[in-house]
Amino acid sequence: MLRVLKSELIRLIRPSFIAGGIGGMAAFGAISTVIGFAAAGKSGAGPGQYIPTEAALAAPDGYAAGLMLAANLIGIITLSFWAIATASDYSTGLIRLLAQAEPRRWRLIVGKVLALTLYTLVGTLAATLAAYATAQVCALVFDVSTAAWTDVAPTLLESFRNLALSASVWGVLGLVIALLTQSSGVAVAVGIGYLVVFENMIVAVVSDASDWLLGATLTALAAGGTPGISFESALQLGAAYLVGGILIAIVVMHFREITY
Amino acid sequence: MDAIVTHGLTKHFRDLTAVNALDLIVPSGGVVGFVGPNGSGKSTTIRMLLGLLTPTAGTGEVLGSTISHPARYAHRVGALIESPSFVLSLSARSNLRSLAALRGLPTTRVDAVIETVGLVGRDRDLVSTYSLGMKQRLAIAAALLPDPELLILDEPTNGLDPAGIVEVRTLLIELGNQGRTLLVSSHLLAEIEAACNQVVIIRFGEMLFSGPLAELMARTAAHVELVPEHEEDLSRLAELYGVRGYVVRRDKGDLVVEAPAATAPDLNRIAAQEGITLRKLAAHEETLEETFLRMTGSTDGDNATTRSRQRAERSSTDREAADA
């Protein structure tokens, strides 16, 4: 398994993935913080959109408020990144070499998940730190009190944990769809289409579905809990989606005929 | 022990039979050519041997282990399957390091294979900057990473220029001389003839021939064409050869004796003893390419219509046999 992890990491550490993935997440962390501070207290947010109040920004965890805005965007980046990393094995034909060198295909999946999770952790950490650094500047620019921003480390760590957990589940979703469709483009479209459009349609018909559906769970995970789903429930549901997704990927990979 | 053995190996893709009850034996050591028209089932067979495809029926062994458990022999086998497959935005060295890591091999193996295929000095360049020939060499390097006992190369000279083809041919012969077994699939029959000592020919997923190249060449059709100085001697000459057991036929003004080239001096001597001077004495032996085309037909297996027609013809023949 460690062999697969090492092999995957060698392929992941390249300029395009570092700039596009980790850099993209950090950029969204910073931009959303700027937007959060600029729009604080203003009305007019669309359905499902979160705009922090000025009081929320001045609270002990106020510097992390922007991350809430960025959570779904970072999730989409993660989904896309995992989908590209998975589908490109098929589009390049690399899967032939990988499956020949390691015929125990479950190891290929688990190793890839581990490598991509590490990558996601680095990306979400970069986003968290970028949000924190940007918040310091924004507090000065938008005249927000930072008096309550004293015990930074635990709050920052909690924000990072929530964001990383949420992004990892987004990523597994991207991996599974890319594995099923063998196309990163389709995976991104299906993933975003479901979470942004289809899940809302389901919730409109089955009201209590928002207590357990994937999108609602991911939002609750990133926010550290919502009125509909507590953080503990979100954690359990997220773990179930994560394990379920990995199991589906292993089964698909095990029975796949490699004709590419 | 044979390197590869299959019994009744079969692969169906829905209604298409890609490989049909293939009994294959590839002896250990040496370079074995694996030839057949496009779509004859070579790649499908190779993929089943490597565990990438599951056979519909039949069994097989690679280096003494069953193909249903490829993990048992994967570390002893290197392969190039169809076109080279690499991450273009990584260097050749990083691509090889990634594959070496997957197999748990030290980086010294990466250095060794880079040197073997002659990519020293270009190994840190991005693969996207490589020519097709260089990518092909990189793919061979990847196949050599585990220092394999069995090397399976599917079209290793694809895209190479003449110099590259000679280079790969020399490399294959060297690798074969090191005691490894090489199964080399190729369309370039001249390459097979130059590099291989054994050959397996398949068509429509069925084996047509398996054995030493010399044995195949011994089966090649050969004839000697003769023309006497005086046309009126043609009949007498045919009679002289016929009496001595030669199979003779006339082709326009030529007399064609179905016999290997080595008999030409004897044919000349017989004519001279009877006072007949020959104006033309030409020996003709089939090339491997001609033998291949005679055995496989000139049809392309990729052509579904051809394949369907072939199947229909076979079914019709079977029905006629059953009716009889």
Side-chain angles (χ1 to χ4, degrees), chain B residues 130-302:
Chain B
Y130 273 27
S131 66
L132 188 56
M134 289 172 75
K135 285 180 191 162
Q136 201 72 14
R137 280 196 273 166
L138 180 59
I140 294 174
L144 286 170
L145 268 175
D147 197 9
E149 290 167 52
L150 172 65
L151 194 56
I152 298 177
L153 304 174
D154 196 1
E155 304 288 352
T157 52
N158 251 5
L160 296 181
D161 57 17
I165 290 173
V166 171
E167 220 173 280
V168 169
R169 183 203 302 160
T170 309
L171 180 63
L172 295 184
I173 294 169
E174 271 173 27
L175 292 168
N177 289 340
Q178 289 168 7
R180 301 174 207 266
T181 307
L182 277 79
L183 181 66
V184 183
S185 142
S186 179
H187 286 106
L188 300 176
L189 295 167
E191 288 314 305
I192 294 290
E193 201 169 355
C196 304
N197 38 30
Q198 299 265 339
V199 66
V200 175
I201 300 178
I202 66 169
R203 183 189 62 166
F204 296 126
E206 294 170 3
M207 195 172 71
L208 296 179
F209 176 85
S210 175
L213 194 61
E215 190 184 309
L216 178 68
M217 296 309 286
R219 289 190 190 183
T220 57
H223 64 261
V224 180
E225 295 166 2
L226 307 105
V227 180
E229 186 181 22
H230 304 293
E231 201 179 329
E232 57 269 24
D233 288 333
L234 203 62
S235 301
R236 192 155 67 95
L237 202 55
E239 199 180 318
L240 282 169
Y241 294 143
V243 167
R244 284 167 174 79
Y246 286 106
V247 177
V248 182
R249 63 183 163 86
R250 285 193 185 186
D251 183 13
K252 296 174 186 168
D254 285 12
L255 195 65
V256 179
V257 180
E258 303 291 347
T263 59
D266 190 39
L267 297 172
N268 191 24
R269 199 173 300 115
I270 293 167
Q273 281 167 358
E274 296 299 323
I276 300 171
T277 306
L278 296 177
R279 180 160 59 84
K280 174 186 173 186
L281 177 67
H284 178 81
E285 280 193 335
E286 266 186 346
T287 61
L288 180 61
E289 194 168 27
E290 287 167 327
T291 307
F292 173 80
L293 287 172
R294 180 167 52 80
M295 292 178 82
T296 62
S298 57
T299 54
D300 188 329
D302 278 343

